[in-house]
Coordinates of all heavy atoms in Angstrom, one line a residue:
N24 N 96.8 135.3 111.7 CA 97.9 135.9 111.0 C 98.2 137.3 111.4 O 98.7 138.1 110.6 CB 97.7 135.7 109.5 CG 97.8 134.3 109.1 OD1 98.5 133.5 109.7 ND2 97.0 133.9 108.1
K25 N 97.8 137.7 112.5 CA 98.0 139.1 113.0 C 99.0 139.0 114.2 O 99.0 138.0 114.9 CB 96.7 139.8 113.4 CG 95.8 140.1 112.3 CD 96.3 141.1 111.4 CE 95.4 141.4 110.2 NZ 95.7 142.4 109.4
H26 N 99.6 140.1 114.5 CA 100.5 140.2 115.7 C 100.0 141.3 116.6 O 99.5 142.3 116.1 CB 101.9 140.5 115.3 CG 102.5 139.4 114.4 ND1 103.1 138.2 114.9 CD2 102.7 139.3 113.1 CE1 103.5 137.5 113.9 NE2 103.3 138.1 112.8
Q27 N 100.3 141.2 117.8 CA 99.9 142.2 118.8 C 101.1 142.5 119.7 O 101.8 141.5 120.1 CB 98.7 141.9 119.6 CG 98.3 143.0 120.5 CD 97.0 142.6 121.3 OE1 96.8 141.5 121.5 NE2 96.3 143.6 121.7
L28 N 101.4 143.7 119.9 CA 102.5 144.1 120.8 C 101.9 145.0 121.9 O 101.2 146.0 121.6 CB 103.6 144.9 120.0 CG 104.7 145.6 120.8 CD1 105.5 144.5 121.6 CD2 105.6 146.4 119.9
L29 N 102.2 144.6 123.1 CA 101.7 145.4 124.3 C 103.0 146.0 124.9 O 104.0 145.3 125.1 CB 101.0 144.6 125.3 CG 99.7 143.9 124.8 CD1 99.2 142.9 125.9 CD2 98.7 144.9 124.4
G30 N 102.9 147.2 125.3 CA 104.1 147.8 126.0 C 104.0 149.3 126.2 O 102.9 149.9 126.2
T31 N 105.1 149.9 126.4 CA 105.2 151.3 126.8 C 106.0 152.0 125.8 O 107.1 151.5 125.4 CB 105.8 151.5 128.2 OG1 105.0 150.7 129.1 CG2 105.8 152.9 128.6
I32 N 105.6 153.2 125.3 CA 106.3 153.9 124.3 C 107.6 154.4 124.9 O 107.7 155.0 126.0 CB 105.5 155.1 123.8 CG1 104.3 154.7 123.0 CG2 106.4 156.0 122.9 CD1 103.4 155.8 122.6
K33 N 108.7 154.1 124.2 CA 110.1 154.5 124.7 C 110.4 155.7 123.9 O 110.9 156.7 124.4 CB 111.1 153.4 124.4 CG 112.5 153.8 124.9 CD 113.4 152.6 124.7 CE 114.8 153.0 125.2 NZ 115.7 151.8 125.1
Q34 N 110.2 155.7 122.6 CA 110.6 156.8 121.7 C 109.8 156.9 120.4 O 109.5 155.8 119.9 CB 112.1 156.7 121.4 CG 112.8 157.9 121.1 CD 114.3 157.6 121.1 OE1 114.8 156.6 120.7 NE2 115.1 158.7 121.4
L35 N 109.4 158.1 120.0 CA 108.7 158.3 118.8 C 109.6 158.9 117.8 O 110.3 159.9 118.1 CB 107.5 159.1 119.0 CG 106.7 159.6 117.8 CD1 106.1 158.4 117.1 CD2 105.6 160.6 118.2
H36 N 109.7 158.4 116.6 CA 110.5 158.9 115.5 C 109.6 159.4 114.4 O 108.4 159.1 114.4 CB 111.5 157.9 115.0 CG 112.4 157.4 116.1 ND1 113.5 158.0 116.6 CD2 112.3 156.3 116.9 CE1 114.1 157.3 117.5 NE2 113.3 156.3 117.8
E37 N 110.1 159.9 113.3 CA 109.3 160.4 112.2 C 108.4 159.3 111.6 O 107.3 159.5 111.4 CB 110.2 161.0 111.2 CG 109.4 161.7 110.0 CD 110.3 162.3 109.0 OE1 111.4 162.8 109.4 OE2 109.9 162.4 107.9
N38 N 109.0 158.1 111.4 CA 108.3 157.1 110.7 C 108.3 155.7 111.4 O 108.0 154.7 110.9 CB 108.8 156.9 109.3 CG 110.2 156.5 109.2 OD1 110.9 156.4 110.2 ND2 110.7 156.1 108.0
H39 N 108.7 155.8 112.7 CA 108.7 154.5 113.5 C 108.6 154.8 115.0 O 108.8 156.0 115.4 CB 109.9 153.6 113.2 CG 111.2 154.2 113.5 ND1 111.9 155.0 112.7 CD2 112.0 154.0 114.6 CE1 113.0 155.3 113.2 NE2 113.1 154.7 114.4
L40 N 108.2 153.8 115.7 CA 108.0 153.9 117.1 C 108.8 152.8 117.9 O 108.8 151.7 117.4 CB 106.5 153.7 117.4 CG 105.9 153.9 118.7 CD1 106.0 155.3 119.2 CD2 104.4 153.4 118.7
T41 N 109.4 153.1 119.0 CA 110.1 152.1 119.8 C 109.2 151.9 121.0 O 108.9 152.8 121.7 CB 111.5 152.6 120.2 OG1 112.2 152.8 119.0 CG2 112.2 151.5 120.9
V42 N 108.9 150.6 121.3 CA 108.1 150.2 122.4 C 108.8 149.2 123.2 O 109.4 148.3 122.7 CB 106.7 149.6 121.9 CG1 105.9 149.1 123.1 CG2 105.9 150.6 121.1
T43 N 108.8 149.4 124.6 CA 109.4 148.4 125.5 C 108.3 147.5 126.0 O 107.3 148.0 126.6 CB 110.1 149.2 126.6 OG1 111.0 150.1 126.1 CG2 110.8 148.2 127.6
D44 N 108.5 146.2 125.9 CA 107.5 145.3 126.4 C 107.7 145.0 127.8 O 108.6 145.5 128.5 CB 107.4 144.0 125.5 CG 108.7 143.1 125.6 OD1 109.4 143.3 126.6 OD2 108.8 142.2 124.8
Q45 N 106.8 144.1 128.4 CA 106.9 143.8 129.8 C 108.2 143.0 130.2 O 108.5 143.0 131.4 CB 105.7 143.0 130.3 CG 105.6 141.6 129.8 CD 104.9 141.4 128.4 OE1 104.7 142.4 127.7 NE2 104.6 140.2 128.0
H46 N 108.9 142.5 129.3 CA 110.2 141.9 129.5 C 111.4 142.8 129.3 O 112.5 142.4 129.3 CB 110.4 140.6 128.6 CG 109.2 139.6 128.7 ND1 109.0 138.9 129.9 CD2 108.2 139.3 127.9 CE1 108.0 138.1 129.7 NE2 107.5 138.4 128.5
Q47 N 111.1 144.1 129.2 CA 112.1 145.2 129.0 C 112.8 145.0 127.7 O 113.9 145.6 127.5 CB 113.1 145.2 130.2 CG 112.4 145.5 131.5 CD 111.5 146.7 131.5 OE1 111.9 147.8 131.1 NE2 110.3 146.6 131.9
A48 N 112.2 144.3 126.7 CA 112.8 144.2 125.4 C 112.2 145.3 124.5 O 111.0 145.6 124.6 CB 112.5 142.9 124.7
D49 N 113.0 146.0 123.7 CA 112.6 147.0 122.8 C 112.2 146.5 121.5 O 112.9 145.6 120.9 CB 113.7 148.1 122.6 CG 113.9 148.9 123.9 OD1 113.1 148.9 124.8 OD2 115.0 149.6 124.0
H50 N 111.1 147.0 120.9 CA 110.6 146.6 119.6 C 110.4 147.9 118.8 O 109.8 148.8 119.3 CB 109.3 145.8 119.7 CG 109.4 144.6 120.5 ND1 109.8 143.4 120.0 CD2 109.2 144.5 121.9 CE1 109.8 142.5 121.0 NE2 109.4 143.1 122.2
T51 N 110.9 147.9 117.6 CA 110.7 149.1 116.7 C 109.7 148.7 115.6 O 109.8 147.7 115.0 CB 112.0 149.5 116.1 OG1 112.9 149.9 117.1 CG2 111.8 150.7 115.2
V52 N 108.6 149.5 115.5 CA 107.6 149.2 114.4 C 107.4 150.5 113.6 O 107.6 151.6 114.0 CB 106.2 148.8 115.1 CG1 106.3 147.5 115.8 CG2 105.7 149.9 116.0
E53 N 107.2 150.2 112.3 CA 107.0 151.3 111.3 C 105.6 151.9 111.4 O 104.6 151.2 111.7 CB 107.2 150.7 109.9 CG 107.1 151.7 108.8 CD 107.2 151.1 107.4 OE1 107.9 150.1 107.3 OE2 106.7 151.7 106.5
L54 N 105.6 153.2 111.3 CA 104.3 154.0 111.2 C 104.2 154.5 109.8 O 105.2 154.9 109.2 CB 104.3 155.2 112.1 CG 104.6 154.9 113.6 CD1 104.7 156.2 114.4 CD2 103.5 154.0 114.2
N55 N 103.0 154.4 109.2 CA 102.8 154.9 107.9 C 101.5 155.6 107.8 O 100.8 155.8 108.8 CB 102.9 153.8 106.8 CG 101.9 152.7 107.0 OD1 100.8 152.9 107.5 ND2 102.2 151.5 106.6
S56 N 101.1 156.1 106.6 CA 99.8 156.9 106.5 C 98.6 156.0 106.7 O 97.5 156.6 107.0 CB 99.8 157.5 105.1 OG 99.8 156.5 104.1
Q57 N 98.7 154.7 106.7 CA 97.6 153.8 107.0 C 97.5 153.4 108.5 O 96.4 152.9 108.9 CB 97.8 152.5 106.2 CG 97.9 152.7 104.7 CD 96.7 153.4 104.1 OE1 95.6 153.0 104.3 NE2 96.9 154.5 103.4
T58 N 98.4 153.8 109.3 CA 98.4 153.5 110.7 C 97.2 154.3 111.4 O 97.2 155.5 111.3 CB 99.7 153.8 111.4 OG1 100.8 153.1 110.8 CG2 99.7 153.4 112.9
K59 N 96.3 153.5 112.0 CA 95.2 154.2 112.7 C 95.5 154.3 114.2 O 96.0 153.4 114.8 CB 93.9 153.4 112.5 CG 93.4 153.3 111.1 CD 92.2 152.5 111.0 CE 91.5 152.6 109.7 NZ 91.8 152.0 108.6
L60 N 95.2 155.5 114.7 CA 95.5 155.7 116.2 C 94.1 155.9 116.9 O 93.2 156.6 116.4 CB 96.3 157.0 116.3 CG 97.7 157.1 115.6 CD1 98.3 158.4 115.8 CD2 98.6 156.0 116.1
E61 N 94.0 155.3 118.1 CA 92.8 155.4 118.8 C 93.1 155.6 120.3 O 94.0 155.0 120.8 CB 92.0 154.0 118.6 CG 90.7 154.0 119.3 CD 90.1 152.6 119.1 OE1 90.0 152.2 118.0 OE2 89.6 152.0 120.1
K62 N 92.3 156.4 120.9 CA 92.5 156.6 122.4 C 91.1 156.8 123.0 O 90.3 157.6 122.5 CB 93.3 157.9 122.6 CG 93.6 158.2 124.1 CD 94.5 159.3 124.3 CE 94.8 159.6 125.8 NZ 95.7 160.7 125.9
G63 N 90.7 156.0 123.9 CA 89.4 156.0 124.5 C 88.3 155.7 123.6 O 87.2 156.3 123.7
G64 N 88.6 154.9 122.6 CA 87.6 154.5 121.6 C 87.3 155.6 120.5 O 86.4 155.4 119.7
K65 N 88.1 156.6 120.5 CA 88.0 157.7 119.5 C 89.3 157.9 118.8 O 90.4 157.5 119.3 CB 87.6 159.0 120.2 CG 86.3 158.9 121.0 CD 86.0 160.2 121.7 CE 84.7 160.1 122.4 NZ 84.4 161.2 123.2
P66 N 89.2 158.4 117.6 CA 90.5 158.7 116.8 C 91.4 159.6 117.6 O 91.0 160.5 118.3 CB 90.0 159.4 115.6 CG 88.5 159.0 115.4 CD 88.0 158.8 116.8
A67 N 92.7 159.3 117.5 CA 93.8 160.0 118.2 C 94.7 160.6 117.1 O 94.6 160.3 115.9 CB 94.5 159.1 119.2
T68 N 95.7 161.4 117.6 CA 96.7 161.9 116.7 C 98.1 161.5 117.2 O 98.2 161.0 118.3 CB 96.6 163.5 116.7 OG1 97.0 164.0 118.0 CG2 95.2 164.0 116.4
R69 N 99.1 161.8 116.4 CA 100.5 161.5 116.8 C 100.9 162.3 118.1 O 101.7 161.8 118.8 CB 101.4 162.0 115.7 CG 101.5 161.0 114.5 CD 102.5 161.4 113.5 NE 103.8 161.5 113.9 CZ 104.8 160.5 113.8 NH1 104.5 159.4 113.2 NH2 106.0 160.7 114.2

Side-chain angles (χ1 to χ4, degrees):
N24 293 326
K25 295 288 180 177
H26 298 279
Q27 184 176 26
L28 171 62
L29 300 174
T31 304
I32 296 174
K33 181 176 182 178
Q34 210 168 27
L35 174 65
H36 304 277
E37 185 176 331
N38 63 353
H39 63 278
L40 183 68
T41 303
V42 175
T43 304
D44 69 15
Q45 70 271 15
H46 303 291
Q47 301 305 310
D49 289 344
H50 304 272
T51 300
V52 295
E53 181 183 333
L54 303 174
N55 62 29
S56 62
Q57 302 300 309
T58 303
K59 293 181 170 86
L60 304 175
E61 181 182 311
K62 183 175 182 179
K65 298 178 182 176
T68 66
R69 281 182 62 98

